Amino acid sequence: MADLKDFAEKLVNLTVKEVNELATILKDEYGIEPAAAAVAVAAGGAGAAEAAEEQSEFDVVLKAAGASKLAVVKLVKELTGLGLKEAKELVDNAPSNIKEGIAKDEAEALKGQLEDAGAEVELK
């Protein structure tokens, strides 16, 4: 039972990027596909993807620090140039804009970095 609780805890703390990678592995290796609705929610819906393609500037919004708050605070400090106290306040007051009006490639790169650190992030 303890092993299952540990496993459940690991699943709950997966980043969005890790969930997408898990879905790909389950599909490719085992032929298991998530329900279409779950994929649409994880991907932000098809309409969101189309709208993102048309946008030229994006805001990177920190939705939540996730399980590894210290790592997220350090990364926010590095990305924004803020002091440690200000970066912590930004993370504590999520949802918060981390960067505004940046190009799609840069926004996606920042989003990936933050998700790798355990944060929940969205692009607007």
Side-chain angles (χ1 to χ4, degrees), residues 11-53:
L11 284 176
V12 169
N13 289 318
L14 290 176
T15 64
V16 173
K17 182 178 179 181
E18 290 169 330
V19 169
N20 288 333
E21 290 172 2
L22 176 61
T24 301
I25 291 168
L26 290 173
K27 180 182 176 191
D28 294 347
E29 301 278 329
Y30 304 100
I32 300 170
E33 288 194 53
V39 172
V41 168
E50 290 172 7
E53 290 296 323

Side-chain angles (χ1 to χ4, degrees), residues 18-89:
E18 290 169 330
V19 169
N20 288 333
E21 290 172 2
L22 176 61
T24 301
I25 291 168
L26 290 173
K27 180 182 176 191
D28 294 347
E29 301 278 329
Y30 304 100
I32 300 170
E33 288 194 53
V39 172
V41 168
E50 290 172 7
E53 290 296 323
E54 296 172 9
Q55 249 180 289
S56 62
E57 291 186 344
F58 294 84
D59 296 341
V60 179
V61 180
L62 175 69
K63 291 174 56 177
S68 184
K69 183 177 176 181
L70 181 58
V72 173
V73 169
K74 287 180 179 179
L75 183 57
V76 167
K77 178 185 179 294
E78 177 185 321
L79 295 174
T80 61
L82 295 172
L84 189 58
K85 181 179 177 183
E86 291 83 7
K88 181 185 178 301
E89 288 174 2

